[in-house]
Amino acid sequence: MSDSDSNSLNVPLKEQEEWEDVTPIPQEEEANTVCPIAYTDEYSDMMGYLRAVMAKCEVSQRALDLTGRVIKVNPGHYTVWMYRKKLVEELGTDSESELDWVTEISEIHHKNYQLWHYREALISRLLDPKTVEDLTQDQLVGHPAIRRELLFASNAIDGDSKNFHAWSYRQWIVRTYGIWDQELVFIETMINEDVRNNSAWNQRYFVLIGDGRGKSASEPEPPLEDSLADREIDYSIEKIILAPNNECPWSYITGLLLRHAPKKLYTTLLPKIQELAAAGSDYAACIASTAMYWSTLVDIYECQAKALPDQASALLDIARDACDLLASDHDPMRNRYWDFRKSQLTMSK
Amino acid sequence: MAPTLSVDKHARYFKHCLTMLPAKTVSLDATRMTLTHICLAGLAALGRLDEMVPDNKRGEMVEWIYAQQIPAAPGNAAYRGFRGGSLFGPHGACENVAANSGNVAATYSALCALLLLGDDLSRVDRKAIVYVLRQLQQPSGSFVPHPGTTERDPRFIFCACATSYILDDWSGIDRDAATRYIKSCVNFDGGMTQAPFQESHGGHLYCCVASLSLMGTLDAVLPDRSRTLRWAMLHQNGGYQGRTNKAPDTCYSFWIGASVEMLGGHALLNTDEVASFIHKCESAYGGVSKVPDANPDPLHSALGIAGYGFCRPSELPRMSPELLLPESVVQGLRSKCAAK
C-alpha cells in the first residue's frame, strides 16, 4: 500500500495536492430520485475523483489506489473492477501484492461475487495452464501459485465452511490445473469435520464425475466403474451411520447411482441399508424411523421396477407402502408431497 | 385466529426505503435500480402501491429510471440498456464507454419498475437492448451481466429472458443455447445450480425454472418435474432453506416458493409452516428480515412478502412467480402482445 493511501483516509482528495490537477465529476441526480443513499462526504469525494479518472482512462498508481478505496466500501460497483484489472496490467503491478489485496477485500466482503472472478482472471494470467500441463499432480499442488490459491479458498472455507464462492473457486482451480486427487483428500477432511456439510458432499460428486469431461447436456451420463460405485456406497453408509437424519449421504449416493450405476441401487445399496435398519438394536430403530431411509427406498424400488418390468407390480406396491408410511409416520409435514409421490408410482412410465 | 401480515408497517417500510436509504447501504449503490424494483414490487405484493406511490409521485420516479437508460454514443452499443444507478456519472461526461455501462439485471429491474409505475415503455430503446443481449450471451448459452466480466450464470439468463418476455422480442437470445445450458445445471440431487457440478441452490433453482418457463422450454428440460419438486420439498423445513442443511431464510420463500408454483406443486406445500416462518421474521418496525430477530432489509422484505402471498392467496394480491410483478400487470402485458 502506498503512503497516499493512509493519507487519504483522513484528508479528502479535493484537499490533497496530489489531486489538484483533477476536476471531480459530480453525480448528477434528478430532483426526486428513487432509493437515494445518504452518502457520506468521504464517499462523495472519492467517487467524484473516481468518475474523473475513469472518464479519461487515466493509468496511474493514484488511480489504482483509488479503485481500492472504492471497492472496499462498494465492491458491487461493477465497472471499477474492470478498470482496476486494466490498471494492474498496464502498470505491471506485482501479482502477489495484488492477490494480497484481493485477500484483504475477501475478508471484509465474504459474499461478493466479483472478487472471485477478478481473482480467477489474475490467476489465469499469472499461470497459463498450458505452461504446467506436463507436471504431475503432486508437482502441481506444490507449485507456489496453485498452493497459494488452494490455501486462499480453504481459508475462506475455514471462515464459512459452506462459502459457495470458495467451493466453486476450488472447482475452477481443480479443473483448470487438473489436481483432482488432492481435492478428494480435502473433501474427506471437511466431511470428517462436519458430516452435514452439503458443499463438501457436492464437491465429492464433482470429483467423481466432473473429472476432465466437458459436460454436455446431450451426452449420456457416463457410467461409474463398479469398484468406484462400491467404494462410494461404503463411504456413504459409514457417514449415514454417524447421523442417520442427515440428508447429504442419502441424496449423494442415491443421486450418484441413479445417474451413473442404477443397477447398484438395488443390487448393492438396498440390501446394505435394509441390513442397517433391521439390525435389532436401538440404533437400527433410529435408521428405520428417518424420512431419508424410506424416501430412498421409494427411489430404489421405483428404479428397480423400471429395470425389471415383470416384477414391477410388486416392487411398486412396496414403494407405495413406503410413501404411506412417510405421509403418516416418518415425514408427516410433507404428507401432501408423499401422496403425490405415491400417485406417480405407476407402471406406465 | 391465524396471524396476518403487518401490512401497514411493511408498506411504510418500503415507502421509507424509496425515499431514503442510510449511508451504510452504499455497498448497494450500483444496484439502486434493483432496490427500486424490489420496493415497488413489495408494495404491489402488499396491495399498497397505489396508496404509497400515488400518481402525482410516479412521474418523478419514472424520470429517474429513464435517466439511467444509456443513450447512444460512439462505440457504446454493447453497453446500452439501463444502468444500476447514477453513480457512474452524467452520460455525456466521458469518452470511456466502459465506465458508464448498462447491466442486464438493471435493465430487467428498470422494465419491471416502469411497469409497476404504469409506464408504457414507449421511451425504452428496445432495439438497443436486444442488441446488447446478443453480445452478452456466451458460447455456452449462459449470460454475462455486462461486457468485460467472466461472471456468468443463471441470474443473468433469467434477466435476459425476463427482458425479452417483457419487450416481446426474443431475437436477442438463442433460446436453444440457453435451454441447453440450463439443462446442464440439473444436479444429481434434483436441484439446480449456477454452473454444472456446483451446489444445488434455491436462487439458481428460481433463475433456471423461471427462464425455462418464460422461454416455454420447461417441459423440454424437466419432463419429469418430480425430482426437482422433491428437492424443493426437502428444502422446506419451517421456512425454505437455500441449500441442504443451511438455516431457513425468507428470501427463499420467493425463490423456491415461486419455483414450486411454476412447477405446479402448490398443492403439495405445507403453506402454514412457510407463512409461520415469515411471521417470525417480521420486524416490529416494519420490513422482514432474513432470519428471526435480525434487521430487515428491502430484498428479504419484498421476497418474504411475495412468498407469503403464494401461501395466503386470500390475504394478498397474487404475484406472478415468473417475474416478481403482480399477476395483473403480467396479464396486461400478455393482452398487449395478443393485440398486436
Side-chain angles (χ1 to χ4, degrees):
Chain A
M1 294 285 177
S2 74
D3 285 340
S4 70
D5 202 70
S6 48
N7 253 348
S8 62
L9 289 173
N10 302 311
V11 180
L13 297 174
K14 67 185 181 211
E15 288 167 29
Q16 289 189 26
E17 223 181 282
E18 194 195 344
W19 289 93
E20 259 172 14
D21 60 308
V22 177
T23 309
I25 297 179
Q27 181 169 333
E28 257 182 18
E29 202 75 285
E30 300 290 326
N32 287 291
T33 71
V34 199
C35 293
I37 296 170
Y39 300 137
T40 59
D41 290 340
E42 190 195 338
Y43 182 76
S44 298
D45 174 65
M46 74 178 167
M47 287 300 291
Y49 283 89
L50 182 73
R51 285 185 279 268
V53 296
M54 282 185 77
K56 53 193 177 89
C57 273
E58 174 175 312
V59 175
S60 66
Q61 188 62 39
R62 71 179 179 183
L64 182 66
D65 293 340
L66 183 53
T67 63
R69 284 188 63 202
V70 170
I71 289 171
K72 230 181 212 166
V73 298
N74 183 9
H77 185 313
Y78 52 86
T79 58
V80 74
W81 285 97
M82 247 59 56
Y83 179 51
R84 186 174 175 104
K85 179 162 174 267
K86 194 169 134 95
L87 287 171
V88 159
E89 282 164 20
E90 299 204 13
L91 292 172
T93 304
D94 169 55
S95 312
E96 276 212 25
S97 74
E98 187 62 6
L99 289 168
D100 280 340
W101 174 81
V102 177
T103 304
E104 202 189 308
I105 299 294
S106 74
E107 280 156 13
I108 313 167
H109 298 289
H110 317 282
K111 302 208 171 168
N112 170 268
Y113 278 81
Q114 282 99 336
L115 78 87
W116 293 93
H117 288 279
Y118 183 78
R119 193 165 180 119
E120 190 185 301
L122 279 175
I123 298 299
S124 300
R125 220 177 126 243
L126 181 63
L127 186 60
D128 181 348
K130 290 199 182 61
T131 63
V132 292
E133 65 189 353
D134 290 333
L135 298 183
T136 65
Q137 285 198 46
D138 278 343
Q139 286 171 324
L140 285 162
V141 173
H143 189 293
I146 292 177
R147 195 171 61 226
R148 186 197 180 117
E149 292 317 292
L150 290 173
L151 188 60
F152 174 74
S154 61
N155 282 343
I157 289 169
D158 265 347
D160 170 7
S161 65
K162 301 174 187 184
N163 183 324
F164 192 80
H165 305 288
W167 284 99
S168 84
Y169 188 67
R170 289 190 73 95
Q171 287 198 4
W172 177 76
I173 302 170
V174 165
R175 189 186 296 111
T176 304
Y177 300 102
I179 43 173
W180 299 88
D181 296 347
Q182 63 76 41
E183 195 66 3
L184 194 58
V185 174
F186 179 75
I187 290 164
E188 292 189 353
T189 309
M190 294 308 297
I191 291 179
N192 286 341
E193 260 181 42
D194 177 8
V195 73
R196 293 178 177 81
N197 186 337
N198 193 61
S199 307
W201 283 96
N202 182 74
Q203 200 83 338
R204 196 173 177 97
Y205 180 81
F206 161 70
V207 166
L208 260 278
I209 304 293
D211 176 335
R213 281 168 263 217
K215 191 95 175 91
S216 145
S218 57
E219 222 173 59
E221 303 292 358
L224 192 63
E225 301 89 80
D226 275 357
S227 58
L228 277 180
D230 288 337
R231 185 191 80 185
E232 295 306 300
I233 289 170
D234 289 338
Y235 183 80
S236 303
I237 300 253
E238 194 187 296
K239 303 309 175 192
I240 284 171
I241 289 171
L242 290 178
N245 259 321
N246 173 22
E247 189 192 317
C248 298
W250 297 99
S251 278
Y252 170 75
I253 195 61
T254 311
L256 177 72
L257 296 178
L258 256 174
R259 276 188 170 182
H260 306 286
K263 256 183 92 164
K264 285 274 179 189
L265 272 172
Y266 47 91
T267 60
T268 316
L269 182 66
L270 179 62
K272 289 196 183 215
I273 60 176
Q274 284 177 321
E275 195 187 316
L276 269 184
S281 59
D282 287 341
Y283 184 76
C286 178
I287 296 258
S289 67
T290 71
M292 293 311 307
Y293 171 72
W294 293 98
S295 95
T296 303
L297 287 183
V298 175
D299 291 341
I300 297 176
Y301 283 119
E302 185 184 36
C303 177
Q304 192 175 17
K306 277 190 206 142
L308 308 171
D310 48 318
Q311 296 175 40
S313 179
L315 293 167
L316 289 177
D317 276 343
I318 307 177
R320 286 189 208 106
D321 287 345
C323 288
D324 284 337
L325 274 172
L326 281 157
S328 59
D329 295 1
H330 302 305
D331 197 15
M333 191 186 72
R334 273 175 270 274
N335 62 331
R336 279 175 252 172
Y337 170 71
W338 293 116
D339 290 341
F340 164 73
R341 184 82 180 96
K342 181 178 165 183
S343 72
Q344 294 187 303
L345 297 168
T346 61
M347 295 200 280
S348 56
K349 280 201 198 168
Chain B
M1 198 182 93
T4 54
L5 215 56
S6 303
V7 173
D8 290 338
K9 280 187 191 165
H10 300 321
R12 282 197 294 276
Y13 172 80
F14 285 123
K15 169 125 191 211
H16 183 82
C17 292
L18 284 166
T19 312
M20 180 60 72
L21 290 165
K24 64 179 179 181
T25 326
V26 80
S27 60
L28 301 178
D29 197 16
T31 54
R32 280 170 61 202
M33 192 62 77
T34 303
L35 290 171
T36 301
H37 170 207
I38 283 290
C39 291
L40 293 172
L43 282 171
L46 292 167
R48 293 296 177 88
L49 184 57
D50 287 345
E51 183 191 318
M52 289 294 170
V53 187
D55 282 342
N56 62 354
K57 291 286 176 211
R58 294 188 179 202
E60 295 159 348
M61 289 189 174
V62 165
E63 286 315 303
W64 182 82
I65 296 171
Y66 275 119
Q68 310 319 314
Q69 185 169 213
I70 310 281
N76 85 338
Y79 296 92
R80 299 194 57 206
F82 287 79
R83 59 188 187 174
S86 48
L87 77 173
F88 304 108
H91 292 301
C94 67
E95 288 163 10
N96 177 12
V97 296
N100 186 33
S101 177
N103 179 309
V104 75
T107 297
Y108 157 66
S109 290
L111 294 176
C112 286
L114 287 169
L115 287 173
L116 284 160
L117 293 168
D119 186 76
D120 64 0
L121 307 188
S122 55
R123 289 153 66 186
V124 172
D125 188 337
R126 293 160 183 257
K127 270 183 71 177
I129 289 172
V130 167
Y131 176 84
V132 167
L133 295 183
R134 243 182 260 119
Q135 311 315 305
L136 299 181
Q137 190 162 23
Q138 301 298 292
S140 66
S142 188
F143 274 80
V144 296
H146 58 85
T149 178
T150 53
E151 222 186 324
R152 60 213 168 276
D153 65 58
R155 290 175 295 160
F156 310 121
I157 302 177
F158 168 70
C159 293
C161 287
T163 296
S164 301
Y165 183 89
I166 290 171
L167 297 180
D168 192 29
D169 183 343
W170 289 90
S171 59
I173 299 189
D174 177 347
R175 277 178 276 190
D176 287 341
T179 299
R180 270 198 309 275
Y181 181 81
I182 292 174
K183 188 163 181 186
S184 75
C185 293
V186 178
N187 207 4
F188 66 89
D189 58 1
M192 300 193 82
T193 69
Q194 177 173 284
F197 297 107
Q198 291 188 23
E199 195 182 355
S200 298
H201 187 292
H204 293 294
L205 174 71
Y206 174 78
C207 293
C208 289
V209 171
S211 298
L212 293 175
S213 187
L214 290 167
M215 287 191 286
T217 51
L218 188 57
D219 287 327
V221 173
L222 300 173
D224 171 12
R225 299 174 181 193
S226 59
R227 264 191 81 68
T228 320
L229 273 171
R230 173 188 175 275
W231 190 91
M233 291 296 130
L234 273 183
H235 289 75
Q236 193 217 324
N237 281 299
Y240 284 107
Q241 305 159 292
R243 293 184 271 158
T244 304
N245 290 336
K246 296 226 34 170
D249 171 332
T250 47
C251 66
Y252 298 105
S253 319
F254 183 77
W255 303 133
I256 301 182
S259 302
V260 170
E261 298 291 316
M262 288 184 276
L263 293 167
H266 177 88
L268 310 180
L269 281 179
N270 190 322
T271 53
D272 286 347
E273 293 261 334
V274 177
S276 167
F277 179 73
I278 296 166
H279 280 306
K280 285 190 199 129
C281 297
E282 289 184 84
S283 162
Y285 303 103
V288 175
S289 58
K290 172 182 158 100
V291 293
D293 303 320
N295 289 328
D297 63 73
L299 185 80
H300 287 90
S301 302
L303 297 179
I305 290 165
Y308 181 91
F310 294 134
C311 299
R312 292 283 180 264
S314 57
E315 231 182 283
L316 296 179
R318 184 169 168 86
M319 295 296 274
S320 153
E322 280 93 356
L323 287 171
L324 196 57
L325 286 172
E327 206 41 272
S328 56
V329 171
V330 177
Q331 293 301 337
L333 264 180
R334 285 197 194 118
S335 62
K336 269 196 207 126
C337 299
K340 279 196 201 153

